[in-house]
Amino acid sequence: MIPPTRQNPVLRFAPSPNGLLHLGHALSALLNADMAAALGGRLLLRMEDIDVTRCTPEFEHAIYEDLAWLGLDWERPVRRQSEHFDDYRRALETLIARGLAYPAFLTRGEVKARVAAAEADGRSWPRDPDGAPHYPADERDLSDAERRCRIDAGTRHAWRLDMRRAMKEYAEALFWMETGDGETGEIAADPAAWGDVVLWRSDAPSSYHLSVTVDDAGQGITHVVRGLDLFHATSVHRLLQHLLDLPASVYHHHRLILGPDGRKLSKSEGDTGLAVLRGQGLTSADIRRLVGL
Ligand code: GLU
């Protein structure tokens, strides 16, 4: 199924205020602004701050300063995901009611130990496109009574998508429209490659996949412009759109800005930080040139 194209272009830049912006964010933000202008569309800014332990008002403020310095303008009010946990909870409840989500009790350490034991035994363990091991398949087969008992006992748990059921019962072949710097055209989604993704974390409300899908639909985003590092995650977002009966966007995954070591920039790399470059007297025109725009 190919999503239909929607009218009235709306784009968004969606940083997480858990660190300072660097040149990679500048490319993403400027591309969003340029494409919004070219399409005659709106540009929204969204704070992806579901991880309230790592996101701070100081980082959020620094993002506003950096973006204003880059010459960007965006609509107010800015949506903060931390103010919309109810929206994500409703989406989770929908999936639970359809038998597509289950409570997952293993900690990260316990999963790691299972994987290590299997691999020490010479058995291979499936991994997602980011290299993380899939959640153990047998954990989705706990009985309802057992789950209830553990939840009632206060056992910490996440909620995961039952990918096998989702694929079997609900997914027809899914595609998305891609216009970015990698593969383009109709891309066949492959959500199964991700295994039982987390929908609701045990240590924080919601998850990246659930909140980004709910928000992009809720805010009427027609074009998602973001880095190629999120290309494969789009398969999960496309499946969640399908399961939750939400409209899909067109996707544009742009090239990444790499550091001298050939790796993606991280928020701790000071010398590519926008605030540092601004302090050195660079202008937004210099930043455009540096990121190849
Ligand atoms: N919040 C994500 C990040 O800062 C971006 C998510 C997205 O654009 O879909 O990497």
Side-chain angles (χ1 to χ4, degrees):
M1 188 172 85
I2 309 165
T5 310
R6 283 180 291 161
Q7 305 300 312
N8 303 328
V10 188
L11 288 81
R12 83 328 188 249
F13 177 56
S16 295
N18 58 8
L20 297 171
L21 299 189
H22 54 56
L23 283 174
H25 298 107
L27 172 62
S28 209
L30 289 166
L31 263 181
N32 266 288
D34 290 357
M35 287 180 67
L39 292 164
R42 298 161 54 203
L43 177 63
L44 308 184
L45 176 60
R46 183 167 76 221
M47 289 295 153
E48 301 217 320
D49 60 348
I50 55 172
D51 189 341
V52 290
T53 59
R54 294 175 60 222
C55 295
T56 68
E58 289 74 25
F59 285 134
E60 182 178 324
H61 183 73
I63 289 174
Y64 297 138
E65 273 190 358
D66 285 341
L67 295 182
W69 171 66
L70 283 177
L72 258 71
D73 200 10
W74 57 90
E75 290 185 18
R76 274 80 168 173
V78 168
R79 183 177 174 96
R80 282 195 198 92
Q81 291 189 323
S82 59
E83 292 167 355
H84 296 278
F85 289 136
D86 287 352
D87 294 350
Y88 316 132
R89 188 77 209 179
R90 268 195 297 278
L92 175 69
E93 302 283 352
T94 301
L95 296 170
I96 294 173
R98 294 199 204 144
L100 293 171
Y102 66 90
F105 299 99
L106 294 186
T107 63
R108 214 182 289 244
E110 287 167 336
V111 173
K112 236 173 138 176
R114 288 242 201 141
V115 176
E119 288 181 342
D121 250 13
R123 279 180 287 139
S124 69
W125 192 280
R127 285 174 188 268
D128 72 23
D130 284 347
H134 284 194
Y135 194 69
D138 52 349
E139 286 293 313
R140 60 162 93 99
D141 297 327
L142 295 182
S143 69
D144 283 346
E146 175 67 23
R147 285 176 177 157
R148 174 71 19 231
C149 180
R150 291 201 203 178
I151 291 175
D152 289 349
T155 312
R156 260 169 88 105
H157 58 282
W159 286 89
R160 285 180 179 266
L161 183 70
D162 187 333
M163 185 63 80
R164 186 180 50 179
R165 252 186 112 161
M167 296 302 293
K168 202 156 80 193
E169 292 185 27
Y170 291 92
E172 46 195 291
L174 293 174
F175 296 86
W176 81 83
M177 191 51 72
E178 174 69 46
T179 63
D181 294 332
E183 216 185 321
T184 55
E186 282 169 26
I187 308 292
D190 180 19
W194 288 89
D196 293 356
V197 288
V198 174
L199 297 170
W200 199 270
R201 290 163 49 167
S202 62
D203 59 344
S206 196
S207 67
Y208 163 63
H209 294 308
L210 188 64
S211 52
V212 82
T213 304
V214 168
D215 282 350
D216 283 341
Q219 294 190 287
I221 304 300
T222 55
H223 297 72
V224 169
V225 179
R226 61 186 180 193
L228 268 169
D229 51 336
L230 291 169
F231 182 91
H232 292 292
T234 309
S235 286
V236 176
H237 306 164
R238 192 65 199 91
L239 175 63
L240 289 175
Q241 288 159 357
H242 180 66
L243 297 175
L244 293 166
D245 204 14
L246 299 173
S249 323
V250 170
Y251 288 86
H252 184 99
H253 291 97
H254 59 75
R255 63 192 161 80
L256 300 175
I257 305 279
L258 303 178
D261 56 358
R263 294 168 63 132
K264 195 175 97 162
L265 296 181
S266 84
K267 283 185 169 143
S268 52
E269 274 168 293
D271 55 345
T272 58
L274 299 186
V276 172
L277 297 170
R278 184 164 76 239
Q280 291 170 353
L282 272 70
T283 65
S284 83
D286 294 326
I287 300 298
R288 277 190 172 271
R289 199 174 29 77
L290 277 175
V291 299
L293 285 177

